[in-house]
Amino acid sequence: MGWYKAGKIAVTNGSKAITGNGTDFVTNVKPGFAFLGPDFQLYEIDTVVSATSATLATAYRGVTAAAADYGIFQTQGIIADLSAQVAALINNYGNIAQQFPDALNAISAAQNSAGAAQATAGAKYGKGNILGTVGQTGGAPTGAIIERGSNANGEYVRFADGTQMCTKLHLAVGDTAAFQSLPLAAAFVGNTVGVSLSFETGPNVGAAVDWYAFAATVSAHYTGGVAYLLYRGASMPVNGYVHVLAVGRWF
């Protein structure tokens, strides 16, 4: 704030009163401001009474004057008071202010955690790995959602929940006297497999499917399979195509 010197003032020797004309002490002057009188001496403003009236902290020592020029300016005392008030505000509300960085840090940490969780979920279930190699640890899926493959023993589909399906088109010979081994493309676990056979041409529909009988005699080199018996009428072709569908679990 610069000097305030609007209007004119009147002062009396030995008096603390300042009377203004065309002044606005209420808006522009505060207790503690410095007053430069017509005698070119500095005094301290004690109180502001009205827009045209103020008092000094000590009596005016100069010659009585009317319609005189003057000057009023802010002093360091006001700045010190303001500093004290600011210090009080910091003391009263500093703890609250301190909580804002903590809150921002917590928000940032939550965002990072959410981003990591989303990345982890994306790594497990993103469109880039819906198809791939399935896996599991302790019954929890660790790989892709669906795995599809094939080999000399047919085709298979594995799902992340443990379900597995094997299919095969097999050229069979009718009138088998004993169960015939038919390996499949992928291994099942335990007694979890259900098998169905259907015939394209050839043998009569008199097939028997016995997974358990076959599994009991399976050798280590087998990946899994079924055993079957075929019967045919005298006029039926000897050979026929058998469609095999096995459904069970891979873990």
Side-chain angles (χ1 to χ4, degrees):
M1 175 181 176
W3 288 78
Y4 180 70
K5 48 190 176 181
K8 301 291 183 178
I9 56 103
V11 288
T12 301
N13 178 263
S15 172
K16 297 181 179 180
I18 304 174
T19 302
N21 181 15
T23 59
D24 186 1
F25 293 151
V26 171
T27 302
N28 299 283
V29 179
K30 297 289 186 295
F33 279 22
F35 171 78
L36 179 64
D39 60 348
F40 299 104
Q41 299 297 313
L42 289 174
Y43 302 86
E44 180 183 357
I45 298 292
D46 184 47
T47 58
V48 175
V49 179
S50 67
T52 58
S53 177
T55 60
L56 298 173
T58 58
Y60 178 67
R61 296 183 298 271
V63 178
T64 298
D69 293 325
Y70 71 100
I72 296 176
F73 62 91
Q74 182 174 320
T75 63
Q76 184 64 31
I78 295 300
I79 298 176
D81 290 343
L82 179 60
S83 298
Q85 294 173 0
V86 171
L89 287 173
I90 293 174
N91 182 64
N92 292 333
Y93 300 103
N95 291 336
I96 296 176
Q98 180 61 37
Q99 293 175 9
F100 284 102
D102 295 340
L104 290 176
N105 290 336
I107 292 172
S108 178
Q111 289 175 332
N112 291 337
S113 178
Q118 185 175 12
T120 299
K124 289 184 178 179
Y125 305 113
K127 66 178 182 179
N129 66 349
I130 291 178
L131 297 178
T133 301
V134 299
Q136 61 89 23
T137 300
T142 58
I145 298 176
I146 302 172
E147 176 182 341
R148 178 183 294 273
S150 63
N151 53 44
N153 294 324
E155 297 182 352
Y156 71 92
V157 178
R158 282 181 172 177
F159 299 92
D161 69 344
T163 303
Q164 178 172 275
M165 296 186 296
C166 290
T167 59
K168 184 172 185 177
L169 179 61
H170 173 62
L171 179 59
V173 178
D175 281 340
T176 55
F179 283 105
Q180 302 297 304
S181 298
L182 183 61
L184 296 176
F188 293 93
V189 294
N191 298 328
T192 64
V193 184
V195 181
S196 66
L197 299 180
S198 62
F199 301 93
E200 186 172 304
T201 61
N204 202 9
V205 181
V209 179
D210 190 347
W211 166 264
Y212 307 110
F214 177 76
T217 58
V218 67
S219 299
H221 67 276
Y222 284 108
T223 60
V226 297
Y228 64 91
L229 291 175
L230 296 180
Y231 300 93
R232 67 181 181 88
S235 61
M236 299 297 292
V238 174
N239 299 333
Y241 285 100
V242 180
H243 294 271
V244 182
L245 170 63
V247 179
R249 298 188 61 81
W250 61 274
F251 78 85

